[in-house]
RNA sequence: GCGGGUGUGGUGAAGUGGUAUCACCUGAGGUUUCCAACCUCAUGUCGUGGGUUCAAUUCCCGCCACCCGCACCA
């Protein structure tokens, strides 16, 4: 980061703190790394960003919203792979009690210590006795898993069980698959979204809001049938060129449908969500000139994923991953299915049912019962496991416990019949766009914050989209007397009583100072009640970004702002 | 986690072994016919815990936080 960027960043952070948008959390207690507050203005900003996000996806029509607990039982995250993936193994120097990552200590002695299990690490440490980087002694204590997830106990004492505070919102959508499948009347594709908090006990949170220990995330899981070619209408994006960085590393400028056509993007649904994500980010106020999609290279991609693109946004901290769009295949549903034994599948009806001859081999219980007594059950099981009908009798059959029995023709019953099969169960694939809301908000602020000059003085304004600005409008009487303050008070109150609108009333300081205050936090519209308002019931409306003013009838103002049509008058 | 830097009202800074200035901001009053004007007054600060000292915001140590680099993570 060069000096100019760093200095701008300092000024931006000062403003965000001074005006109550983003502040370090618990600061009066000394603060806590990786935790931030959205302050008096930031709280609503965050809420509106999440609202825009939700509406963007729900408008697609085949997506529903879930809300699941953040406290999650151990087995859920074990099944999902998080317990394994999110762990580092730690050991402690017996002499100086300093803790180190076990795999790092073994880098000199082993070609790939990262791949070792807990027990193998302990074994290797005992064999090689690497020196302590701190005190040079070489005796090591137990190896323990240090998890990046926050551990907790659900319940207390004996009845309690282990759990975590969730590291992502996704798992709740997978564990709810059956309910989603029913909700959508068993018809793919469909999706679920969830907006909420996620928690990761990062070793070193850095760069302000970029790496947090508690963060706002918003994820979408879109379930599809892998055998049906996805059909998406890309006409709106045909002529929109995007910066794409495919896994060969060369940035290209091309439209998303063209990249799909040429095979750079490997799946139509992934391409669809990339396009829709670009639209969303643009609506939120991200400068598309500073957005790119970067494809994960093979090694970076989780082993189950077949294609993964990050939306990266460029600002003070360079290129930062803010959205990940991954084709996760059937990994998640299969993992939970395997772990729980519950069927997490969808039914695919065939257009023409299949007629198949089936031959069923089983035991003739009336004969085998008396003949094999306690072994009769095992015999039945072994016979049914045969993949071909025996042709010669008697023959020797091996049972599950290893014992052998002599089978005669009378013990066996075979049945042939014709069955009609109408379809099959399959595990849907999932495309997952996952959004880091805090990172996006940070970049919205960074892109919106404009430093300029006014009469030779530094002047800053926040060019937030009216859809997410924490305050929609400010109402100010030119002077707080002569009746102007009454009209202004009434307008302010009427605006605040308009659904979805929040107004601020400001009567202190000169009018120029008040405009500056409003511009600094990005209030799109400033209404001034002046002497003329007393005569003709009009007021001036000022556009934040152009400083242009027009006169509007006071009683029309709430509706013009509510309907987002004020901009049309300018 | 390692190395370097920083911590003084809301913000940005100055300064000192004898408990602190300044500007802006904020609030009140006055003034003012639309872009940080002016006048008067007011609120509010040495990150935190130890140590040295008669006395620590200042010197020393630990901790916490922030920034930069490396490592890590995604």
């Amino acid at each position: 980061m060069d000096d100019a960027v760093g200095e701008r960043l300092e000024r931006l952070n000062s403003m965000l703190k001074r005006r109550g948008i983003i502040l370090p959390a618990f600061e009066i207690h000394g603060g806590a790394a990786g935790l931030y507050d959205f302050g008096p203005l930031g709280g609503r900003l965050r809420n509106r960003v999440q609202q825009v996000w939700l509406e963007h996806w729900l408008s697609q029509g085949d997506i529903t919203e879930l809300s699941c607990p953040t406290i999650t039982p151990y087995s859920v995250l074990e099944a999902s792979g998080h317990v394994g993936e999110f762990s580092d193994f730690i050991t402690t120097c017996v002499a100086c009690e300093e803790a180190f990552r076990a795999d790092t200590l073994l880098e000199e002695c082993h070609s790939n210590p990262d791949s070792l299990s807990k027990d193998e690490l302990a074994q290797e440490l005992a064999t090689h006795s690497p020196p302590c980087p701190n005190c040079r002694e070489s005796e090591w204590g137990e190896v323990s898993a240090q998890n990046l997830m926050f551990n907790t106990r659900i319940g207390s004492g004996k009845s309690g069980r282990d759990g975590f505070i969730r590291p992502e919102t996704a798992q709740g959508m997978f564990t709810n698959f059956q309910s989603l499948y029913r909700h959508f009347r068993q018809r793919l594709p469909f999706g679920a979204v969830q907006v909420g908090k996620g928690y990761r006990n990062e070793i070193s949170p850095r760069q302000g809001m970029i790496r947090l220990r508690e963060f706002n995330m918003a994820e979408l899981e879109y379930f599809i049938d892998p055998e049906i070619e996805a059909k998406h209408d890309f006409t709106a994006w045909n002529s929109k060129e995007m910066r794409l960085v495919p896994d060969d590393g060369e940035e290209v400028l091309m439209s998303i449908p063209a990249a799909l056509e040429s095979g750079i993007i490997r799946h139509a649904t992934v391409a669809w969500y990339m396009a829709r994500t670009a639209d969303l980010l643009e609506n939120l106020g991200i400068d598309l000139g500073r957005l790119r999609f970067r494809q994960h290279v093979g090694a970076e991609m989780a082993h189950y994923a077949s294609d993964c693109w990050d939306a990266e946004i460029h600002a003070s901290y360079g290129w930062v991953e803010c959205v990940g769009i991954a084709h996760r295949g059937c990994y998640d549903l299969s993992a939970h299915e395997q772990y729980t034994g519950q069927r997490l599948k969808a039914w695919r009806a065939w257009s023409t049912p299949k007629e198949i001859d089936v031959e069923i081999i089983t035991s003739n219980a009336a004969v085998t019962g008396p003949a094999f007594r306690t072994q009769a059950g095992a015999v039945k099981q072994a016979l049914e496991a045969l993949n071909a009908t025996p042709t010669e009798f008697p023959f020797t059959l091996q049972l599950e416990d290893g014992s052998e029995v002599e089978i005669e023709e009378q013990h066996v019953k075979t049945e042939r019949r014709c069955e009609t099969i109408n379809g099959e169960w399959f595990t849907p694939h999932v495309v997952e766009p996952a959004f880091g809301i805090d990172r996006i908000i940070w970049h919205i602020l960074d892109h919106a914050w404009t430093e300029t000059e006014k009469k030779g003085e530094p002047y800053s304004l926040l060019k937030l989209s009216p859809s997410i600005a924490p305050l929609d409008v400010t109402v100010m009487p030119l002077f707080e007397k002569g009746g102007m303050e009454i009209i202004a008070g009434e307008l302010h109150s009427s605006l605040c009583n308009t659904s979805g609108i929040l107004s601020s009333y400001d009567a202190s300081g000169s009018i120029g100072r008040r405009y500056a205050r409003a511009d600094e936090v990005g209030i799109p519209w400033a209404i001034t009640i002046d002497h003329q308002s007393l005569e003709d019931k009009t007021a001036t409306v000022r556009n934040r970004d152009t400083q242009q003013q027009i006169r509007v009838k006071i009683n029309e103002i709430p509706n013009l702002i509510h309907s987002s049509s004020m901009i049309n008058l300018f």
Side-chain angles (χ1 to χ4, degrees), chain A residues 436-450:
Chain A
I437 295 293
D438 310 275
R439 288 183 174 188
I440 290 170
I441 290 175
W442 168 261
H443 285 91
I444 289 170
L445 292 168
D446 200 330
H447 286 190
W449 196 56
T450 311

Side-chain angles (χ1 to χ4, degrees), chain A residues 132-179:
Chain A
C132 171
N134 189 42
C135 71
R136 312 316 297 170
E137 290 291 320
S138 54
E139 198 180 333
W140 296 99
E142 261 183 59
V143 176
S144 63
Q146 159 100 21
N147 205 284
L148 281 168
M149 294 188 288
F150 283 95
N151 297 292
T152 190
R153 290 279 294 170
I154 306 174
S156 60
K158 265 190 181 171
S159 63
R161 58 170 174 159
D162 284 329
F164 298 105
I165 315 184
R166 69 181 178 200
E168 58 169 39
T169 60
Q171 295 312 318
M173 294 186 271
F174 297 126
T175 56
N176 263 304
F177 177 78
Q178 290 163 325
S179 161

